[in-house]
Amino acid sequence: MKIIDAHVHFSSIKSFQDTADNLSSISYTFDGLQKEWKDHNVAGAVAMGVTETVPLGFPDNRSETPMGLDLASSIPANMGYCPGINPYRMKEENLIQLEKEIQKPNVVGMKIYLGYYPFYAYDEIYHPVYRLAANYQLPVVFHTGDTYSERGLLKYSHPLTLDEVAVENRDVTFVMAHFGDPWVLDGAEVVYKNRNMYADLSGLIVGTEREINRHRRTRFLHHLLHALDYCDHYEKLMFGTDWPLISVGSYIQFIKEIIPEDFHQAVFHDTALKVFPRLQELLSE
């Protein structure tokens, strides 16, 4: 089965490099990613644009919108990406540049970092992003749940805050990154209720195979399994690793264990191409 990784990172972020070196034990490089993809039959991926102006600076108020990918001098040909939005950089010139950026064929959506920046999804600061998404028929991905920085403010990343946006923008497809973890039951309700809301299953575990095995022996997964059953829409969920937070192979096996086999094709491949139609175009070239 071919794999689509619907949530990776490919930016020079110090915390990502530290995680790769000290927790997940992977090579956070162009070549390292290519090797993992080759070893595990990954046909394509979606990278989330994010930048920092100083090491460990993210969430960085000085990063310009749109935030891109700067880990290497080039990106893999089978990688689409979602330019990142810094709500502190939403002047007219930023919006003009964002509109130019999303017209590029390898741009498959846009990314909003709830929790990292102190604005709710329904804040008017993001309304221009939703208008662009509607005009260009591009999905908007939201970070939800726990933040990978203690400077984040969790009330802004709770998945229930996406409900209002989904209702008010029925012509836009939205993605709840990380399924709202740890508030996955709330996230499941928002996905279940709204036809235009999907979720990826990235970033649920950080580390190596040893960390996955540790969680298998505890009650860690109970809340997640409950939410998956409650959502009852496996066809609206997508595989994603949050690479470099964990190796591709380890996470594939983990997600296979918690998703019924009848839905593997959808979760690991088909739904991502439905949510990110430009990715399908990119992979068919």
Side-chain angles (χ1 to χ4, degrees), residues 90 95 112 120-134 164-165 168-169 172:
M90 292 288 282
L95 293 174
I112 290 176
Y120 290 109
Y122 49 76
D123 194 290
E124 65 179 15
I125 195 72
Y126 292 126
H127 290 182
V129 177
Y130 306 146
R131 288 196 293 269
L132 284 173
E164 183 173 334
V165 175
E168 296 298 324
N169 299 274
V172 177

Side-chain angles (χ1 to χ4, degrees), residues 130-198:
Y130 306 146
R131 288 196 293 269
L132 284 173
N135 290 341
Y136 287 90
Q137 297 183 305
L138 288 176
V140 175
V141 182
F142 295 106
H143 172 88
T144 61
D146 184 35
T147 58
Y148 208 55
S149 168
E150 65 179 9
R151 296 193 304 277
L153 294 173
L154 296 175
K155 68 178 183 178
Y156 296 103
S157 61
H158 196 287
L160 279 180
T161 65
L162 305 191
D163 185 45
E164 183 173 334
V165 175
V167 170
E168 296 298 324
N169 299 274
R170 286 300 190 196
D171 53 348
V172 177
T173 296
F174 295 105
V175 177
M176 179 191 300
H178 319 305
F179 203 29
D181 190 49
W183 304 294
V184 288
L185 194 58
D186 294 318
E189 169 60 20
V190 176
V191 173
Y192 170 83
K193 170 183 173 286
N194 295 291
R195 64 178 181 271
N196 55 335
M197 184 65 66
Y198 293 76

Side-chain angles (χ1 to χ4, degrees), residues 199-271:
D200 74 44
L201 300 175
S202 67
L204 302 176
I205 296 179
V206 178
T208 63
E209 182 70 25
R210 180 179 180 180
E211 191 68 12
I212 294 176
N213 287 334
R214 182 175 73 85
H215 289 316
R216 288 187 178 114
R217 297 191 298 269
T218 69
R219 291 173 291 182
F220 177 82
L221 296 176
H222 290 190
H223 75 305
L224 176 61
L225 297 176
H226 179 190
L228 291 172
D229 284 342
Y230 179 85
C231 184
D232 198 30
H233 279 289
Y234 288 99
E235 78 286 354
K236 296 183 74 178
L237 306 176
M238 296 179 289
F239 171 77
T241 57
D242 216 9
W243 189 89
L245 273 59
I246 198 164
S247 70
V248 174
S250 296
Y251 210 67
I252 288 174
Q253 185 57 45
F254 165 64
I255 297 299
K256 280 184 175 179
E257 292 174 6
I258 64 174
I259 298 295
E261 188 172 358
D262 287 349
F263 294 98
H264 282 188
Q265 182 66 35
V267 171
F268 284 95
H269 187 272
D270 294 354
T271 302

Side-chain angles (χ1 to χ4, degrees), residues 15 24 29 51 91 103 134 154 221 248 269 283:
S15 61
S24 57
T29 62
T51 59
K91 296 179 181 178
Q103 294 179 59
L154 296 175
L221 296 176
V248 174
H269 187 272
L283 298 181

